[in-house]
Amino acid sequence: MSDPAVTFPAPRRIPYPGGCVLEPGPYALDYLLRWPAAIRVHGRDLGEQPVYPFLKGLLADPAAHGVTTAEAAAARDRFLDVAGQALEAEGGQRAWLVREFGR
């Protein structure tokens, strides 16, 4: 199996500040929608940037980054997997991330 076209690390534990301002699940969702990480496309370093907005743009126009529609979908699926695990660890639901991609 070859390396994925788009790579980024899995998020670390979400830095929930605690308190009564916001429940951990919704806070984690908000954090993951803005979470920055080092992104690479076909080995080209794109630097650290928010992953979710990058993937939304990638899905809208895969050719702009030299990837196929299937490669863009695979990157989204990987995000849903790794970010979904982090979200679920804070009491959230992976379906919330899926919904965000549908907006």
Side-chain angles (χ1 to χ4, degrees):
M1 185 171 167
S2 63
D3 289 336
V6 180
T7 60
F8 47 87
R12 297 175 188 227
R13 183 158 174 87
I14 295 170
Y16 182 64
C20 60
V21 176
L22 189 61
E23 292 295 320
Y27 176 85
L29 175 64
D30 183 62
Y31 174 83
L32 290 166
L33 294 178
R34 296 177 292 110
W35 164 64
I39 299 172
R40 295 178 67 85
V41 176
H42 289 299
R44 189 177 76 241
D45 186 12
L46 299 182
E48 189 167 291
Q49 57 183 296
V51 178
Y52 169 76
F54 172 79
L55 292 174
K56 283 283 283 188
L58 186 70
L59 289 162
D61 187 6
H65 289 285
V67 300
T68 66
T69 302
E71 290 169 330
R76 177 204 55 219
D77 292 348
R78 181 168 181 277
F79 177 81
L80 290 173
D81 183 45
V82 298
Q85 290 176 36
L87 182 56
E88 289 170 346
E90 297 298 330
Q93 299 175 24
R94 189 176 308 231
W96 299 350
L97 289 171
V98 173
R99 181 188 64 222
E100 291 299 322
F101 277 104
R103 292 179 182 223

